[in-house]
Amino acid sequence: MSQNIDGKVVVITGASSGLGESTARHLASLGAKVVLGARRTEKLERITQEIRDSGGQAEFLTTDVTVASDLKALVEKAIAAFGQVDVIINNAGLMAIAPMSETKTDEWDRMIDINIKGVLYGIAAALPIFERQGSGHFINISSVAGVKVFSPGGAVYSGTKFAVRAISEGLRHEVGGKIRTTTIEPGAVDSDLKHGSSHQESSDFVKDFYQIAIPADSVARAIAYAIEQPADIDINELVLRPTVQDF
């Protein structure tokens, strides 16, 4: 059903590495026109050029998902380049693992800003376009930690990912019919996410745990599966994890 991906315009946040980069490359290989957003401009330039060199269509814009106007500009970039937006993948995330007794309030704020507000700002940027078009697809990246609380250490991270699931379900209920909403909940996937902890003991645990991680393109294929379904099918949730992962 890749013909349901061919020609679609897909906006991706957190696209300079990991899940976002793999998804951009995979969807472009299936004929999607991808618009990449992230803070690391040099990486975006390289990935965009490599997609183009492989025959794909890609644009990018330096984007900080904690700034609502940046998300609006990213969506506007897609419209200016390709005339529409069919899918937005709210992927940018931060996983700062530490016991709550460490009271790392700056990291709590940062996770809330990126993991929750970043998704909301992406929704706010795309929703008016989707409503005007009468079609569209939100894909919001949560986590298995948004299905089961990851503790000790991940209480706040889990809280942000539970919020993504709740927001996505509410969005689906409000705008479903013509606009689709999918929540992707990955387990351990090889990406920069595992480097987000400043608490040394927690960081060491996470890096050890992530030895079981599956490749980022595993998530890219799951995202493609959701997009490629016929318009009358809405894949609401997908949980995927390494076969050996019990959490």
Side-chain angles (χ1 to χ4, degrees), residues 76-229:
E76 289 173 349
K77 173 84 172 185
I79 294 171
F82 300 121
Q84 64 189 59
V85 177
D86 299 295
V87 183
I88 183 167
I89 303 171
N90 291 305
N91 164 70
L94 172 65
M95 184 175 71
I97 302 301
M100 294 195 74
S101 59
E102 293 291 320
T103 63
K104 290 183 174 291
T105 55
D106 288 348
E107 292 183 358
W108 298 352
D109 287 342
R110 192 76 179 141
M111 283 191 285
I112 289 167
D113 287 345
I114 295 172
N115 298 354
I116 302 177
K117 290 184 179 179
V119 170
L120 287 170
Y121 293 159
I123 292 168
L127 184 54
I129 308 303
F130 288 172
E131 289 181 321
R132 186 162 65 243
Q133 293 174 171
S135 65
H137 193 170
F138 292 102
I139 298 181
N140 300 326
I141 307 301
S142 179
S143 168
V144 294
V147 178
K148 180 181 180 182
V149 176
F150 175 40
S151 65
V156 178
Y157 177 69
S158 282
T160 65
K161 292 303 187 176
F162 269 81
V164 171
R165 286 182 71 209
I167 290 163
S168 299
E169 175 59 12
L171 179 65
R172 182 197 67 78
H173 188 249
E174 288 191 22
V175 304
K178 293 184 178 179
I179 298 171
R180 303 193 292 180
T181 302
T182 300
T183 310
I184 306 288
E185 292 138 12
V189 175
D190 189 22
S191 73
D192 289 346
L193 200 66
K194 61 180 178 288
H195 301 304
S197 303
S198 66
H199 181 251
Q200 191 59 52
E201 185 178 346
S202 298
S203 178
D204 292 343
F205 169 79
V206 168
K207 289 173 184 175
D208 182 64
F209 179 76
Y210 265 67
Q211 291 183 37
I212 66 170
I214 54 180
D217 63 6
S218 306
V219 180
R221 292 194 302 272
I223 289 171
Y225 171 77
I227 295 172
E228 70 186 2
Q229 301 306 310

